[in-house]
Amino acid sequence: MQAEDDTQARHADKMRKKQAAQAKIMVTKTQEKGLLIVHTGKGKGKTSAALGMVVRAIGHGMKIGVVQFVKGAMTTGEKTVFDAFPDQVEFKQMGEGFTWDTQDRARDVAAARTAWDEVRRMVADPSYHMVLADELNIVLRYDYLPLDEVLAVLTARDAMKHVIVTGRNAPDALIDAADLVTDMTMIKHPFRSGVKAQAGIEF
Amino acid sequence: MQAEDDTQARHADKMRKKQAAQAKIMVTKTQEKGLLIVHTGKGKGKTSAALGMVVRAIGHGMKIGVVQFVKGAMTTGEKTVFDAFPDQVEFKQMGEGFTWDTQDRARDVAAARTAWDEVRRMVADPSYHMVLADELNIVLRYDYLPLDEVLAVLTARDAMKHVIVTGRNAPDALIDAADLVTDMTMIKHPFRSGVKAQAGIEF
């Protein structure tokens, strides 16, 4: 049976049908618009996938603003790459490191506000094609910023501007407002077997 | 109640406990090793998250091999960025476009074999710190390559080498062999509301 399924004629027929079905779908996809993208979930890849989109946008000559809300204390590999495209990427690390390192709510709220002001500026500035608010969900989770204010800014953005928000526990209202939402679901994590965070993977 | 929870003393106490718990966990994470990483699932972000890891690895001075199995026919934004680091990234686009465009199984199998030979070479070459086999899962799904051979090569790799495999429908045996597996779960996709694939997002 398998040998028969694999014959060239059947394969060509199956692929032709797939191709036709795909073409039919694509014809209905005509709209271009700036997307509100959310990467959430407990698995790895939320920030990495946003970085991948930034890389693609760089390749297309776009200007991108990146604001990291909670990783400011870490040295990140991505900064080296962004620095190679200074006219295209503006990178702001505003956080004081992970929030449980500060133990000072007032300082966390102030840091979140400073970072958010950068996001607002980039969203309002027509020269930016894409804005990445990295780990903004964490800040919202701790109520460091009012959700209503964040949603108002993000949904009132220019029609062609892409905004990416990452972090666990995305608020339901943000998911409702978004165009593209992916939940990075953890299937297996090496921390569980004693492997530490490594260069090139976690940072 | 909310106001009480938000007091500085309570916040500091909560964060101090979190910090202590985190430190206790981190102390047990001492191992460094090359990871076999799988990004699968129906959601977006599988290739993007792998690209993000490549970007981090570039930033840490690593050498990375990237082999795209099924996107050869597309112009990709990431190539521009990789080209800025020619000593660090070797990028091979081996595919003939999505497989349902070819309708020729023998040609698909040959293209998969050519791409796989590149992955094998990079995995065997100690100068590469990371190898990305993009959409290899698709090729395995169509039985264009023998799974046993792929697993044998990936699991016999050098102890410090990272390998990332992306694509829907990762085989169970690959997931079993992997150290880090994330399922990109689709919550919302803009295609559903008529938005087409856009520069900076899909390519």
Side-chain angles (χ1 to χ4, degrees):
Chain A
M1 282 303 288
Q2 186 59 38
E4 192 181 342
D5 285 342
D6 287 350
T7 57
Q8 171 56 26
R10 272 172 184 268
H11 180 78
D13 186 54
K14 202 165 100 186
M15 289 299 161
R16 205 173 294 123
K17 280 179 185 150
K18 278 208 180 212
Q19 191 177 22
Q22 182 71 5
K24 202 168 162 182
I25 290 166
M26 294 313 284
V27 130
T28 68
K29 312 305 177 192
T30 52
Q31 199 188 346
E32 281 200 57
K33 61 175 274 197
L35 302 178
L36 178 55
I37 299 168
V38 176
H39 295 165
T40 192
K42 292 183 181 174
K44 284 190 60 60
K46 299 179 287 292
T47 295
S48 301
L51 290 175
M53 287 180 175
V54 170
V55 164
R56 288 181 171 141
I58 292 172
H60 290 285
M62 296 179 178
K63 183 171 171 186
I64 307 107
V66 179
V67 179
Q68 287 202 320
F69 277 80
V70 294
K71 283 181 182 167
M74 300 177 76
T75 308
T76 47
E78 51 268 36
K79 192 161 180 334
T80 311
V81 174
F82 295 160
D83 286 349
F85 300 90
D87 298 337
Q88 285 186 258
V89 186
E90 187 182 1
F91 184 48
K92 299 274 180 188
Q93 290 182 297
M94 308 302 298
E96 304 271 337
F98 288 102
T99 49
W100 50 80
D101 281 345
T102 72
Q103 302 170 12
D104 183 337
R105 188 171 202 287
R107 197 171 75 175
D108 286 349
V109 167
R113 173 59 59 184
T114 307
W116 174 242
D117 285 345
E118 293 290 338
V119 172
R120 276 202 309 187
R121 177 181 60 78
M122 293 166 174
V123 168
D125 181 340
S127 73
Y128 290 88
H129 300 89
M130 180 182 279
V131 180
L132 165 56
D134 189 49
E135 303 286 11
L136 174 57
N137 288 336
I138 308 291
V139 164
L140 294 172
R141 170 80 165 169
Y142 282 104
D143 288 322
Y144 288 170
L145 288 172
L147 179 59
D148 286 353
E149 182 187 340
V150 169
L151 287 175
V153 168
L154 297 186
T155 54
R157 74 192 188 284
D158 187 76
M160 285 309 294
K161 184 161 312 204
H162 301 301
V163 174
I164 312 172
V165 176
T166 72
R168 291 183 184 205
N169 302 117
D172 290 343
L174 178 62
I175 289 175
D176 288 345
D179 302 291
L180 169 57
V181 182
T182 305
D183 183 287
M184 275 61 176
T185 307
M186 179 167 63
I187 307 293
K188 243 187 196 182
H189 196 299
F191 270 29
R192 297 214 163 160
S193 49
V195 177
K196 70 178 184 180
Q198 294 179 95
I201 309 296
E202 277 88 6
F203 59 91
Chain B
M1 281 301 288
Q2 186 60 35
E4 191 180 345
D5 284 342
D6 286 350
T7 58
Q8 171 57 26
R10 271 171 186 268
H11 180 78
D13 186 54
K14 202 165 101 186
M15 290 299 161
R16 204 173 294 123
K17 280 178 185 150
K18 278 209 180 208
Q19 190 178 23
Q22 182 72 4
K24 203 167 162 184
I25 290 167
M26 294 312 286
V27 129
T28 67
K29 312 306 177 192
T30 53
Q31 200 188 346
E32 281 201 55
K33 60 174 277 197
L35 302 178
L36 178 54
I37 298 167
V38 176
H39 294 166
T40 192
K42 291 182 182 173
K44 285 192 58 61
K46 298 179 288 291
T47 294
S48 301
L51 290 175
M53 288 181 176
V54 170
V55 164
R56 288 180 171 143
I58 291 172
H60 290 285
M62 296 180 180
K63 183 172 171 187
I64 307 108
V66 179
V67 179
Q68 285 203 320
F69 277 79
V70 293
K71 282 181 182 164
M74 300 179 75
T75 307
T76 48
E78 51 267 35
K79 193 161 181 330
T80 311
V81 174
F82 294 161
D83 286 349
F85 300 91
D87 299 336
Q88 285 186 258
V89 186
E90 188 182 358
F91 185 47
K92 298 274 181 187
Q93 290 183 296
M94 307 303 296
E96 304 270 338
F98 289 103
T99 48
W100 50 81
D101 282 345
T102 71
Q103 302 170 11
D104 182 338
R105 186 176 158 82
R107 199 172 75 175
D108 285 348
V109 167
R113 172 60 59 183
T114 306
W116 174 242
D117 285 346
E118 292 289 338
V119 172
R120 277 203 308 187
R121 177 181 61 77
M122 292 166 174
V123 169
D125 181 342
S127 74
Y128 290 87
H129 301 88
M130 179 182 278
V131 179
L132 165 55
D134 188 49
E135 303 288 9
L136 173 57
N137 289 336
I138 308 292
V139 164
L140 294 172
R141 169 82 164 170
Y142 282 106
D143 288 322
Y144 288 169
L145 287 171
L147 178 59
D148 287 354
E149 181 188 340
V150 169
L151 287 174
V153 168
L154 297 186
T155 55
R157 75 193 187 283
D158 187 75
M160 285 309 296
K161 183 161 311 205
H162 300 301
V163 174
I164 312 171
V165 176
T166 72
R168 290 183 184 206
N169 301 117
D172 289 343
L174 178 63
I175 289 174
D176 289 345
D179 302 291
L180 169 56
V181 181
T182 305
D183 184 286
M184 275 63 176
T185 307
M186 179 166 61
I187 306 293
K188 243 188 195 183
H189 196 298
F191 270 29
R192 298 216 163 157
S193 50
V195 177
K196 69 178 185 179
Q198 293 178 96
I201 309 297
E202 276 89 7
F203 59 90

